[in-house]
Amino acid sequence: MEKGVQMAQALLTDKPSIWQYRGGSPDVDLPDFLLEATQGQQVLARLLYNRGIQSPEEVAVFLKPADPADIRPVEELPDAEIALERIGKALDSGEHILIYGDFDVDGITGTSIFYETLHHRLKANVSFYIPDRASEGHGLHASALLRLTSSRQVKLVITTDTGISNFNEVSLLNGLNVDTIVTDHHELPEHLPFAVANVNPQCLEDVETHRLGHLSGAGVAYKLCDALLKRRLPAQDAQEASDALLDICAIGLVADMVPLLAENRLLVQLGLQQLNKRQRLGINCLLKNAGVGEDAILNAESIGFTIGPRLNALGRLQNATEGVEFLTTIDASRAAELASLLEGLNRQRQELCDKTFIEAEQHLQASGGTEGRKAIILASPDWNPGVIGIVASRLIEKYKLPTFMMVVEEAENKVRCSARSISGFHLTEHLEKLSPYFLHMGGHAGAAGFALPLEKLKNFKEDLWKLATETLDDEMTRPVIEVDAKVGFDSLHVGFVDALESLAPYGMRNPSPIFVLEDMKVASQRSLGATANHLKVMFEPAERQGFVKGQLQSVEALLWKCGVNFKLDANKRYHVACTIEKNTYGMGTPVRLTIKDLKVVGAVEGGMRPAVVHETHEPQTLPAQASQITSILDKLDAVVSSSSSGRRSSVAVLNEATWVDHRKRQNPAEFISQLLMSEKQGTLIYNEGKTPPIPFVETSQYVTRQNAKPCESLILWDIPPSQALLDALLHASHAKQIHLFGAKYQDVALEMPLATFLKAMNQGLQMLLSKASEGLPLETLASRFATTEEIVLASLAVLNLQSPSFGTHFLNEKIHVRLLAPVAELDLTRVNVNDAPILLLERLRQASTMFRQNIVF
């Protein structure tokens, strides 16, 4: 597939998509040094090539483990030395320093880095201020500066992530005899402010190639503070204080979506190491509230999807000042309180986004939709300015058009806009052509914000639509999926994902790799989420060349926000564009796909039919006294033998419970997945021992003899090892419908040699008992081994009395206590101890096996 070749209709959008390979043709000859650097791994070499890492020196830097010694000095930035000297003067003379930061995550983290350094570490006379998004917006504000400098007797203002465009406000501070150090990373205006120092990577002459050229506001703040600490503290204390700032710096870098290459990549790698030490109280509370386990490994995605959005919600829905306290507090109770606040605001933000998105869709359709227009322009007085940017991004995902979401402020007689764009429409370049409309405007290619007088809105919309129509054609508004490489189904294993981790952290300019899996078919699927808005699919190769030991037979894939009850056509084959990651949820396949797009490649011959839960038969009620399993089996077998249609399922009724026989069904695990789609509520699966390979089953749906409980339907994947246990299970469940599978024994042998059984029992007992500090009840051991208590006791006796090659002696006093079982009641005194335990164990095993065998077969 060559770059730019049109693919089939994308299933996730309403426009034909283009799949194109990063780096050009997928058949490009890779340089030898890339193959050598990746030990001949073609896919990894291709990924490096795609990211523009195409010289031995660049490869060496990219793949080198993160080392703090490689951090470049801040003095490489223009004006950095001047800034350090002025801050040092303020520290020495005790001047009041004001940190003025932006309200997004980059600004909050930059402010936190400065505040923690100056207040906590250097004991400076310092305070901070973050403007309100709704009432003040981005940038420095004269009224706030006048109020703050007079009330706090400020002598030095340090900005972070803001200020480079505030020529007038810095001039105002100069007139008040207040010095200003501007630290920012945004594009330079025509005239720089007259600050003492403008520390901004954009001031570098070689900004695109310099290692420091793409720092975020938090990145600039960290580098200045790192230098300050090393100049004013003993070496060990300075290094400790500097390292402690790296986690905040990484949060700012990832959340601001700067390129994760060069210095940014190094800082994020080191920051993630610091973040995983879990030393920041507020972050620990936030992660706990978000359901992230204490042993979970935190990565860039943890910042992008868990930490960043919660910090961002603070600035979107109320003043972001408490975000700095949240990141820097050393008070555990206050950290917990602020983390709860952020969690609540994040839920509120999500609900508000969903509500605004629905309203925006309604506004769009009411105004004629997108027909004949190359931009979406929507305005309302009812929208919250804190979420319109997020909603604009969601509209772009769906319509692939530049989107302008506006809030009408009638009392102020103005309109405020948050804009997002596609690759073919550079926002600030095109908006400059409409500059007479604006009260103010700023941004970059993909995102911008501006305000204009309300009376100019109508004409502005017409001119903007005209500009977009002149600029964009249909080809430019088609969704583009950038893929990295084609991989085979045999690449879907944990080792492959581990190899990909050598290229992490992923982010801007180093995106998570997207792979193409060709010719996949749907084995099963089900909707997910409270509104059934997501889809979980099990894919398997349409054509498989035999069985390969250790290779997956199918793989779990997730398709997010695809629509309520959306389903793929199981009669089609698909090429799948996806990311590949480890499945960390403990269930399902070891690796999991996240679907980015799909291409239909044709119908499967003799395609799959929808699974049928069971065939309908006229039930016949058996006598009430027929309580044995043999009565049920006889009835079920009679139905099967009398059926001329060869039906796979039969039904019998016993004591008001309907039994459905699935023992001859092919692919039982996949069938159960389909069954649960219609019967999930109130359906439980009985199984003991090893977890079955059933897709999409929640852990809470499995029951054993120990946690059996009432349910509407009971699936017998396993068969209890005795009639007494079966009766107890049925009595505990009170199930109205019982599905008989016994499918465990398609993969697990009913019978195994006695020596093999004893070795497995010995290994299992040692493992379980070593982990059970307070002991395990006999019933628990029996359940773990899916057998009876009598067999466990007889096995313990054999292991104790037989050859020492079986290992541990289990019949000692310590084990008596830990088992909580009357082992001594097993009477071995009347027979020869050399053979009686073996005979007893064999007799018990045969009885249990025969009971299961009569049901399964």
Side-chain angles (χ1 to χ4, degrees):
M1 181 170 58
E2 296 296 326
K3 182 175 180 178
V5 174
Q6 178 176 337
M7 307 302 290
Q9 175 81 13
L11 298 184
L12 311 186
T13 69
D14 58 357
K15 297 182 180 180
S17 65
I18 299 171
W19 289 8
Q20 63 185 31
Y21 279 92
R22 294 189 180 99
S25 168
D27 302 319
V28 66
D29 291 330
L30 298 172
D32 290 339
F33 69 82
L34 280 177
L35 294 172
E36 291 173 5
T38 57
Q39 288 77 51
Q41 297 182 74
Q42 290 273 347
V43 172
L44 287 185
R46 170 77 197 195
L47 295 177
L48 290 169
Y49 182 87
N50 291 353
R51 283 147 182 77
I53 302 167
Q54 299 176 7
S55 73
E57 295 75 20
E58 290 174 322
V59 172
V61 171
F62 192 88
L63 295 181
K64 181 182 178 182
D67 185 347
D70 293 330
I71 293 178
R72 299 289 281 269
V74 73
E75 289 83 356
E76 294 184 15
L77 292 177
D79 282 4
E81 182 63 44
I82 299 172
L84 291 170
E85 290 179 1
R86 180 62 184 89
I87 297 172
K89 177 184 175 182
L91 291 171
D92 292 336
S93 60
E95 294 176 342
H96 189 110
I97 303 171
L98 173 68
I99 306 162
Y100 192 114
D102 193 35
F103 46 69
D104 66 7
V105 177
D106 194 28
I108 294 171
T109 51
T111 304
S112 299
I113 289 169
F114 273 121
Y115 187 71
E116 182 164 307
T117 299
L118 295 172
H119 182 266
H120 292 355
R121 302 291 184 174
L122 301 180
K123 310 305 179 185
N125 181 11
V126 62
S127 60
F128 62 88
Y129 181 77
I130 295 180
D132 183 77
R133 176 191 291 265
S135 62
E136 295 177 286
H138 293 284
L140 306 182
H141 298 275
S143 59
L145 291 171
L146 287 170
R147 184 179 72 254
L148 293 166
T149 54
S150 62
S151 63
R152 303 181 186 182
Q153 296 183 325
V154 173
K155 292 300 181 182
L156 175 64
V157 173
I158 304 174
T159 77
T160 178
D161 192 38
T162 191
I164 199 64
S165 297
N166 291 109
F167 183 94
N168 292 334
E169 288 76 13
V170 173
S171 297
L172 170 66
L173 289 171
N174 289 336
L176 297 172
N177 292 321
V178 177
D179 287 340
T180 307
I181 296 173
V182 173
T183 77
D184 203 346
H185 71 114
H186 293 103
E187 293 183 12
L188 304 180
E190 184 177 355
H191 300 291
L192 293 180
F194 289 139
V196 171
N198 288 302
V199 186
N200 187 327
Q202 298 297 322
C203 294
L204 290 162
E205 292 184 1
D206 53 346
V207 60
E208 287 301 320
T209 57
H210 197 287
R211 280 189 59 85
L212 306 186
H214 297 289
L215 290 171
S216 73
V220 175
Y222 168 77
K223 300 192 84 55
L224 279 170
C225 290
D226 174 60
L228 271 176
L229 290 164
K230 289 175 179 176
R231 292 184 181 200
R232 304 188 72 87
L233 291 179
Q236 184 173 346
D237 293 343
Q239 192 62 57
E240 177 189 335
S242 178
D243 290 346
L245 298 171
L246 283 164
D247 53 356
I248 308 181
C249 179
I251 293 169
L253 287 163
V254 172
D256 209 54
M257 297 175 59
V258 292
L260 291 192
L261 298 173
E263 194 78 359
N264 289 346
R265 173 178 167 80
L266 173 61
L267 291 175
V268 172
Q269 287 176 316
L270 295 171
L272 289 173
Q273 292 176 13
Q274 184 68 26
L275 193 62
N276 277 290
K277 293 178 182 178
R278 304 289 184 102
Q279 293 179 344
R280 203 162 287 277
L281 296 178
I283 295 297
N284 290 343
C285 295
L286 179 151
L287 294 171
K288 181 179 180 181
N289 291 344
V292 178
E294 293 182 1
D295 56 346
I297 302 299
L298 305 176
N299 53 26
E301 287 73 24
S302 306
I303 295 173
F305 295 103
T306 303
I307 300 172
R310 285 163 173 78
L311 270 176
N312 214 350
L314 186 63
R316 290 185 180 278
L317 300 183
Q318 66 180 50
N319 189 275
T321 298
E322 288 178 306
V324 178
E325 184 184 2
F326 166 76
L327 288 172
T328 60
T329 185
I330 55 176
D331 183 331
S333 62
R334 183 60 174 156
E337 179 184 349
L338 290 171
S340 297
L341 170 66
L342 265 60
E343 187 67 23
L345 288 174
N346 188 55
R347 286 195 297 268
Q348 182 181 339
R349 190 264 310 167
Q350 291 171 327
E351 294 168 359
L352 195 56
C353 283
D354 291 341
K355 177 177 179 290
T356 306
F357 181 77
I358 293 171
E359 292 175 357
E361 286 265 52
Q362 293 170 344
H363 281 234
L364 179 62
Q365 299 309 318
S367 63
T370 60
E371 188 67 29
R373 291 172 175 169
K374 299 298 184 184
I376 296 172
I377 309 172
L378 303 171
S380 171
D382 301 323
W383 293 337
N384 187 307
V387 301
I388 56 176
I390 300 174
V391 174
S393 296
R394 288 177 61 176
L395 289 169
I396 282 186
E397 289 179 7
K398 181 171 183 178
Y399 295 101
K400 307 302 176 185
L401 293 173
T403 301
F404 301 79
M405 288 285 291
M406 304 184 182
V407 177
V408 177
E409 299 178 347
E410 295 176 344
E412 301 291 331
N413 192 37
K414 70 177 181 180
V415 177
R416 292 171 56 185
C417 178
S418 188
R420 300 292 183 269
S421 193
I422 60 178
S423 59
F425 193 86
H426 191 295
L427 275 177
T428 52
E429 287 183 4
H430 288 296
L431 289 174
E432 285 289 348
K433 301 172 186 177
L434 303 174
S435 59
Y437 281 107
F438 301 130
L439 298 171
H440 58 78
M441 186 272 291
H444 49 79
F450 56 81
L452 70 157
L454 179 57
E455 63 269 15
K456 293 185 178 182
L457 177 58
K458 181 178 179 181
N459 290 339
F460 172 76
K461 291 168 67 174
E462 295 298 331
D463 285 350
L464 182 55
W465 273 322
K466 181 180 178 182
L467 179 61
T469 301
E470 292 171 350
T471 305
L472 298 170
D473 57 29
D474 289 340
E475 186 76 5
M476 298 169 71
T477 63
R478 286 169 54 190
V480 175
I481 308 297
E482 290 198 330
V483 299
D484 282 283
K486 287 188 289 187
V487 295
F489 202 78
D490 56 356
S491 293
L492 302 182
H493 56 80
V494 172
F496 179 73
V497 180
D498 285 338
L500 296 180
E501 285 301 307
S502 65
L503 307 186
Y506 294 115
M508 291 294 292
R509 300 270 292 274
N510 182 31
S512 296
I514 296 178
F515 300 102
V516 173
L517 286 164
E518 294 189 330
D519 210 11
M520 296 289 108
K521 68 178 182 179
V522 177
S524 56
Q525 57 184 320
R526 64 183 289 193
S527 297
L528 294 177
T531 60
N533 195 36
H534 314 296
L535 184 69
K536 186 182 281 189
V537 188
M538 294 300 294
F539 279 121
E540 60 185 32
E543 302 293 338
R544 185 188 294 277
Q545 301 298 321
F547 173 78
V548 179
K549 185 177 181 180
Q551 182 175 314
L552 292 179
Q553 301 304 296
S554 59
V555 66
E556 178 182 307
L558 298 175
L559 184 56
W560 300 109
K561 297 180 180 178
C562 52
V564 177
N565 293 318
F566 174 86
K567 292 292 187 296
L568 299 180
D569 187 343
N571 295 313
K572 304 286 186 183
R573 295 184 181 188
Y574 296 94
H575 292 335
V576 183
C578 59
T579 58
I580 305 172
E581 56 267 339
K582 292 180 184 177
N583 189 344
T584 59
Y585 291 95
M587 300 294 294
T589 53
V591 299
R592 185 182 67 194
L593 313 180
T594 297
I595 301 169
K596 301 299 182 181
D597 202 6
L598 296 151
K599 173 192 171 186
V600 178
V601 294
V604 179
E605 292 187 6
M608 297 169 57
R609 296 181 176 85
V612 179
V613 176
H614 65 260
E615 309 279 347
T616 301
H617 298 269
E618 193 67 34
Q620 300 180 20
T621 303
L622 298 178
Q625 65 268 24
S627 60
Q628 296 297 311
I629 187 67
T630 51
S631 300
I632 301 168
L633 295 177
D634 289 344
K635 188 62 180 176
L636 291 170
D637 290 339
V639 174
V640 174
S641 62
S642 65
S643 173
S644 60
S645 61
R647 291 167 172 164
R648 296 181 299 174
S649 299
S650 54
V651 179
V653 175
L654 179 67
N655 293 341
E656 299 183 351
T658 301
W659 285 69
V660 188
D661 188 1
H662 304 279
R663 288 176 293 168
K664 303 301 181 182
R665 183 176 293 281
Q666 299 297 314
N667 301 319
E670 294 173 7
F671 177 81
I672 290 175
S673 293
Q674 298 286 349
L675 177 65
L676 289 174
M677 290 174 63
S678 59
E679 292 193 10
K680 179 177 180 181
Q681 296 299 322
T683 300
L684 299 177
I685 303 172
Y686 165 74
N687 179 76
E688 296 186 323
K690 185 177 179 180
T691 303
I694 305 174
F696 312 137
V697 177
E698 307 293 340
T699 304
S700 59
Q701 290 180 270
Y702 289 116
V703 295
T704 67
R705 72 190 72 175
Q706 292 185 291
N707 63 348
K709 54 190 174 184
C711 59
E712 291 294 320
S713 297
L714 179 67
I715 295 174
L716 295 178
W717 178 265
D718 193 1
I719 304 298
S722 70
Q723 179 70 56
L725 287 172
L726 177 61
D727 289 343
L729 175 67
L730 298 179
H731 177 75
S733 70
H734 297 293
K736 299 298 183 183
Q737 190 169 58
I738 299 166
H739 297 274
L740 176 61
F741 281 87
K744 175 177 181 176
Y745 302 100
Q746 293 183 3
D747 301 310
V748 178
L750 263 171
E751 186 65 63
M752 67 175 68
L754 181 61
T756 303
F757 173 83
L758 282 170
K759 286 180 180 179
M761 181 69 75
N762 183 43
Q763 292 171 355
L765 284 167
Q766 291 189 61
M767 179 186 70
L768 289 172
L769 293 173
S770 67
K771 295 181 178 180
S773 59
E774 297 180 359
L776 285 173
L778 180 59
E779 183 185 29
T780 299
L781 284 174
S783 177
R784 294 288 184 92
F785 290 110
T787 188
T788 64
E789 295 179 9
E790 292 81 4
I791 291 176
V792 172
L793 291 173
S795 298
L796 288 171
V798 172
L799 291 171
N800 182 62
L801 298 172
Q802 288 300 114
S803 167
S805 64
F806 283 111
T808 304
H809 289 257
F810 284 100
L811 291 178
N812 57 46
E813 184 176 352
K814 180 180 178 182
I815 299 300
H816 284 199
V817 175
R818 294 181 66 193
L819 283 175
L820 306 178
V823 178
E825 291 182 10
L826 187 63
D827 188 3
L828 302 175
T829 59
R830 299 180 184 180
V831 292
N832 189 325
V833 295
N834 292 321
D835 56 15
I838 286 284
L839 295 175
L840 173 62
L841 175 60
E842 185 64 14
R843 187 163 64 248
L844 293 171
R845 288 176 66 239
Q846 286 179 356
S848 177
T849 300
M850 285 294 293
F851 178 75
R852 277 186 168 134
Q853 198 168 45
N854 286 336
I855 299 176
V856 174
F857 302 106

